[in-house]
Amino acid sequence: MATFLYKLGRLSFRRRHFVALIWVALLTLAGVGAASAPAAGNSSFSIPGTEAQKAFDLLEQRFPGTSADGATARVVFKAPSGEKMADPGNKATVQETVKELSDGSEVVRVTDPYRAKAVSKDGTIAYAQVSYKVSGMELDDAAKDALKDSAQDAREAGLTVEIGGDALQAVPHTGSSEIIGIAVAAVVLVITFGSLVAAGLPLLTALIGVGIGVSAITGLASALDLGSTTSTLAMMIGLAVGIDYALFIVSRYRAELAEGREREEAAGRAAGTAGSAVVFAGLTVVIALVGLSVVNIPMLTKMGIAAAGTVAIAVLIALTMVPALLGYAGRKVKPMGEKGKLLGRAKKQDKPAKPNLGTRWASFVVRRPVAVLLLGVIGLGAAAVPATSLELGLPDDGSQPVSTTQRRAYDLLSEGFGPGFNGPLMVVVDAKDSDDPKAVFTETGDAIKGLKDVVTVTPAQPNKAGDTATITVIPGSKPSSVTTENLVHGIRDAGAGIKADTDANVLVTGSTAMNIDVSEKLNDALVPYLVLVVGLAFLLLIVVFRSILVPLKAALGFLLSVMAALGAVVAVFQWGWLSGLMGVEQTGPVMSMMPIFMVGVVFGLAMDYEVFLVTRMREAYVHGENPAQAVVTGFRHGARVVTAAAVIMMAVFAGFIGSSESMVKMIGFGLAIAVFFDAFVVRMAIVPAVLALLGRKAWWLPRWLDRALPNVDVEGEGLRTASVDEDADRELVGG
């Protein structure tokens, strides 16, 4: 592999005009495609194989035209102090609002609170439910404006009016902090390279790669049903790895120049050595992201594949466009140790240069491996403690900031009708195979009334054929509570008994039941996902490092860092620690897909640093150094660059904490803190300590396995051999 990438790097350096033209053309093509593509609607959220999804699909078949996936809005009214909603003036205002809401072209129906008995027992709060033909993201701005205007008219009449539901759902924005993250990355690159030109190369190539990836996602969003979060996460991950991969290529190029090589040769060797690490690091990220498909949640699968595609583009750009741009930069990119005009040129010294910080740190760890190992493991273990209190759920209006009308509507409904009113359960009774459907409907309702935590059970509402009915159940607890989850399972257990007696299927659905099913599905998929992703990456790393213990140590270190990161997420988003600093206005359960998504992404990124750092150690060991010296050599060459890469990645991820989308905010924080733990605790401390303790055993590989494995030559041994042969040929010719 090193030889192939060496040739590719030299070719890209020589044919830089052609390479640059290809990437600019791809960027232009993707941009035109994104601009001309139809606007994407809201990504459909389906969970194949779950009971809630089966019930949802059955509703679409048996109740045609009901727009089961359409947006809903709950317009909640509260009477002024000392008044009731039944007072003539208040009642007239509500009825006028209902009439206004019914005029919209996308409105299916609007319930009258007084006819639907949607008035609280104390008579102070009422609500009207508006059902639309299309989803919240597809709803016209005119329909949303009409909804807001109707509410405002009622407010001016003296009522308190708030709007809940998904009708006012907005496209999330990331805020200016994303730009700050990129700015921090630029500063780190300038400090690392001491040159604006060298620092600009990774930023430029990363932005081009992300531009191509995100534009392609935007262009295909409508055809492939991709949500807005997909492009945001692809941008987040693509920027981070794109900058890092280019950073490693440029750093190795400067190191090759410092050894006296010509620029084209240096570009080729940088692509052959650091480029090999980039390929395998990128492969681990792609494996982790594509592996999300085993969860069998289409939205998560699409997010993973889209982000993996952006990572693949980042790898290709690092291997081709970076060498091409190095050709354009010429002498403006200085050899390592020689600073540019920005930070001043290096002064010549008569005495030997002082060992860099990476060398001094590695030497310390090699001398005190047990102390460093214990300190690192205990520290990460302490950070992981909050993860034992992890509660999973999907966000609802109760997790919105208190400044939003959705959250205020949620609180008003809880005040007037109880906390469970915000998470009603819909029970679908399929009595098509039953002899007496009406009796089955009645029996089901009676069975549900006998369960704990049930406040209200509405009469069954059959379809036109009379073979299927819906029953609405109002729990006594809030949607995200364990009590409500137990109620859902209780209804399903009761339904199993009804099926045995009557051959009727009883299914529970609704947003609350769907959230419960999603959480359970993700929990069930976590272990198979870990086995698949970690197993494949473990095999890949055995090929890269030609060792058993080094990949094993890498996997165990990853588990430490991801558990510590989950603990930090729980502390901030669930417990509320530093929530104000992070812009978290409302604490609550952690997003149910957060653990498995974090496992996928963090594993791939953790292996980046493992590959970049340890391949340098492996290279030194293969070339004759003893294990302790190899650790120090790896840090001397790689610690500064890995540190810069980690800070850049943290800055990019942290930039997304400013997003208005709670999922993006949580993932941005989780990935940023996970990179910190993994890069600075696991890879910079635990890894060298373990390698120092293992000694030569770290690089042990059974002979039969050594013969069976392909030799990918990540260390560039083939390039060194070729160089020796070339020098010998020159001496013979010269002689």
Side-chain angles (χ1 to χ4, degrees), residues 11-13 15-24 320-321 324:
L11 179 65
S12 300
F13 188 95
R15 300 286 186 262
R16 46 188 172 273
H17 303 306
F18 181 68
V19 172
L21 182 63
I22 289 178
W23 284 113
V24 171
T320 57
M321 192 170 188

Side-chain angles (χ1 to χ4, degrees), residues 34 45-46 112 142 147 215 244 252 344 371 374 402 404 412 483 537 566 570 579 592 600 614 653-654 671 707 711 725:
F45 187 79
S46 62
D112 186 319
L147 180 61
S215 296
D244 278 7
R252 188 60 184 251
L374 289 177
V402 293
T404 62
L412 283 177
T483 308
L566 277 176
V570 170
S579 57
S592 57
V614 180
F653 287 149
L671 294 183
R707 291 192 298 268
N711 184 11
D725 292 343

